[in-house]
Amino acid sequence: QVQLVESGGGLVQAGGSLRLSCAASGRTFSGYAMGWFRQASGKEREFVAAISWGRGITSYEGSVKGRFTISRDNAKNTVYLQMNSLKPEDTAVYYCAIRGGRVATMMQEYDYWGQGTQVTVSS
């Protein structure tokens, strides 16, 4: 059974940084892409970033480009999201997701999801 467990969320002031982690377990993940999505209160879940498992190909949503960095440690089946220069509008529950195949930006393209971790950025 595939499990994704996120950690690293919390409360931070605007301009601060947080590092989210997502540990995957339950199968071999060679060839699987992993992504981060977020959902603010009252809004739809949106794509944030994704990374391929093999070559480290990345994709970012426009508003986080240059501030967030996605990376992964294949030996630990873990993906990270380093978030710098955080803004109040980054406040959301952040979800980790995994899919077999290439990097993707649409929710429906992902097969497994974590439970989410809350990120709150105060002004």
Side-chain angles (χ1 to χ4, degrees):
Q1 180 179 358
V2 174
Q3 284 193 317
L4 302 176
V5 179
E6 302 100 334
S7 61
L11 173 64
V12 64
Q13 289 188 332
S17 298
L18 282 175
R19 189 195 195 204
L20 305 184
S21 300
C22 173
S25 62
R27 64 164 300 156
T28 300
F29 294 103
S30 177
Y32 278 63
M34 293 189 77
W36 287 97
F37 289 75
R38 65 186 179 186
Q39 187 167 17
S41 180
K43 296 188 177 181
E44 294 186 352
R45 195 171 299 188
E46 65 175 4
F47 171 75
V48 175
I51 187 167
S52 66
W53 206 254
R55 297 172 61 187
I57 297 169
T58 59
S59 178
Y60 293 93
E61 188 271 331
S63 70
V64 308
K65 203 172 290 186
R67 300 188 298 123
F68 292 9
T69 302
I70 189 170
S71 61
R72 84 276 188 257
D73 183 335
N74 290 349
K76 296 181 179 179
N77 286 340
T78 299
V79 65
Y80 306 97
L81 186 68
Q82 178 66 44
M83 306 185 295
N84 298 329
S85 303
L86 282 161
K87 304 175 182 180
E89 51 263 44
D90 294 317
T91 295
V93 177
Y94 283 70
Y95 296 90
C96 172
I98 192 167
R99 70 182 300 269
R102 300 178 179 179
V103 163
T105 63
M106 304 294 289
M107 280 182 54
Q108 55 266 38
E109 297 178 283
Y110 285 80
D111 303 310
Y112 302 98
W113 291 82
Q115 293 300 306
T117 185
Q118 176 71 46
V119 171
T120 303
V121 184
S122 63
S123 57

